[in-house]
């Protein structure tokens, strides 16, 4: 499926990726750029909030375990801010435990991706998640 995804799929989309792990940030950034996205990165939730406020992205991918402000605090702050509350956020974690996805969805995340992010699967996994977000699906067709 990876080679069937149009290389211009995300052209014109502003996307914020928040993760304290440099490798994950780099994989996400390189792949999203390859598909035309305008990518903005942050290494913790507080920095991520600042970037999201500035960029008003189409969607956000946020790690759950980070210093300063973790993903749980980040999504809580997003949902409390009327200017940010409607921006879809996808949770990202390496610690996929039973119940984590439900907890993430209950907290306000739109969906859930697990690490490690790989070149082989990232876009295919992401596209599967994006088609489940009503605010974004019209832009994927």
């Amino acid at each position: 499926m990876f080679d069937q995804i149009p290389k211009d799929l995300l052209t014109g989309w502003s996307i914020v990726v928040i993760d304290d792990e440099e490798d994950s940030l780099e994989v996400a950034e390189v792949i999203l750029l390859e598909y035309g996205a305008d990518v903005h990165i942050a290494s913790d939730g507080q920095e991520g909030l600042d970037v999201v406020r500035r960029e008003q992205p189409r969607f956000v991918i946020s790690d759950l375990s980070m210093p300063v402000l973790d993903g749980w605090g980040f999504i809580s702050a997003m949902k409390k801010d009327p200017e940010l509350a409607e921006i879809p956020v996808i949770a990202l974690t390496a610690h996929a435990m039973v119940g984590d996805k439900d907890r993430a969805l209950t907290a306000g995340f739109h969906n859930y991706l697990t690490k490690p992010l790989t070149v082989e699967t990232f876009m295919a996994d992401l596209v599967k998640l994006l088609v489940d977000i009503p605010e974004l699906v019209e832009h994927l067709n």
Side-chain angles (χ1 to χ4, degrees):
M1 175 171 178
F2 190 66
D3 58 349
Q4 297 172 352
I5 299 169
K7 291 292 187 182
D8 64 350
L9 180 69
L10 303 176
T11 297
W13 288 39
S14 176
I15 301 169
V16 173
V17 181
I18 309 165
D19 198 327
D20 61 320
E21 292 182 15
E22 230 175 278
D23 291 349
S24 293
L25 272 180
E26 187 176 338
V27 168
E29 183 178 25
V30 166
I31 294 170
L32 292 169
L33 286 170
E34 185 175 331
Y35 284 86
D38 182 14
V39 183
H40 307 276
I41 59 172
S43 59
D44 65 64
Q46 187 58 57
E47 182 184 348
L49 278 173
D50 295 341
V51 174
V52 170
R53 284 188 181 107
R54 184 180 71 237
E55 300 300 330
Q56 294 290 310
R58 185 75 52 96
F59 70 93
V60 177
I61 299 171
S62 176
D63 189 19
L64 293 177
S65 300
M66 299 178 286
V68 185
L69 182 64
D70 65 12
W72 304 108
F74 171 79
I75 194 69
S76 177
M78 287 272 300
K79 294 303 174 187
K80 289 177 185 171
D81 186 328
E83 291 187 23
L84 307 180
E86 298 303 315
I87 298 172
V89 183
I90 297 169
L92 179 63
T93 186
H95 309 291
M97 306 293 269
V98 174
D100 280 355
K101 182 175 183 177
D102 290 338
R103 180 178 174 214
L105 296 177
T106 299
F109 287 96
H110 281 73
N111 222 313
Y112 187 89
L113 268 174
T114 55
K115 292 181 184 179
L117 298 181
T118 66
V119 172
E120 296 78 26
T121 62
F122 177 68
M123 271 308 288
D125 292 345
L126 184 61
V127 168
K128 287 177 196 169
L129 298 182
L130 294 179
V131 297
D132 288 336
I133 300 175
E135 300 91 335
L136 300 177
V137 72
E138 66 196 47
H139 301 285
L140 291 171
N141 296 324

